[in-house]
Amino acid sequence: MSALTEAIKAIKAGDKTTGREILRRSLQTDPDNEAAWLWLAVAVESPLQKKQYLERVLEINPDNATAKQVLARLEENGIVE
């Protein structure tokens, strides 16, 4: 099982802490892993961190529709600027 798959499984099971740890380790070796950054945004509670991770996704792939939508929703709701 890949690190990304393990992390997603942990996050979906409600263990965001383990998911974040796996994703962060994975990103040390593959800092341009778009999916890992996106799931990291899902796994954090801080709106500021979410924004930073979503912006990183968009640096890697400016066409990532999910990252654009979530970031727009955060901004529309006044959660981040």
Side-chain angles (χ1 to χ4, degrees):
M1 182 180 316
S2 75
L4 182 60
T5 303
E6 275 186 66
I8 293 169
K9 185 176 177 182
I11 292 165
K12 286 184 174 181
D15 188 358
K16 290 184 177 183
T17 302
T18 298
R20 284 191 302 266
E21 290 172 8
I22 295 168
L23 290 168
R24 287 185 176 126
R25 279 195 310 265
S26 174
L27 287 166
Q28 288 177 349
T29 57
D30 184 9
D32 292 330
N33 186 324
E34 178 182 348
W37 285 108
L38 195 56
W39 276 99
L40 194 53
V42 170
V44 295
E45 302 301 324
S46 162
L48 183 57
Q49 281 184 313
K50 271 187 200 304
K51 179 183 182 209
Q52 291 170 337
Y53 298 151
L54 292 168
E55 287 173 343
R56 178 66 179 126
V57 170
L58 293 173
E59 286 175 11
I60 297 165
N61 176 8
D63 296 323
N64 186 300
T66 302
K68 285 180 182 180
Q69 289 171 344
V70 175
L71 193 54
R73 201 172 325 125
L74 289 172
E75 290 171 353
E76 285 170 12
N77 293 330
I79 297 170
V80 296
E81 293 180 11

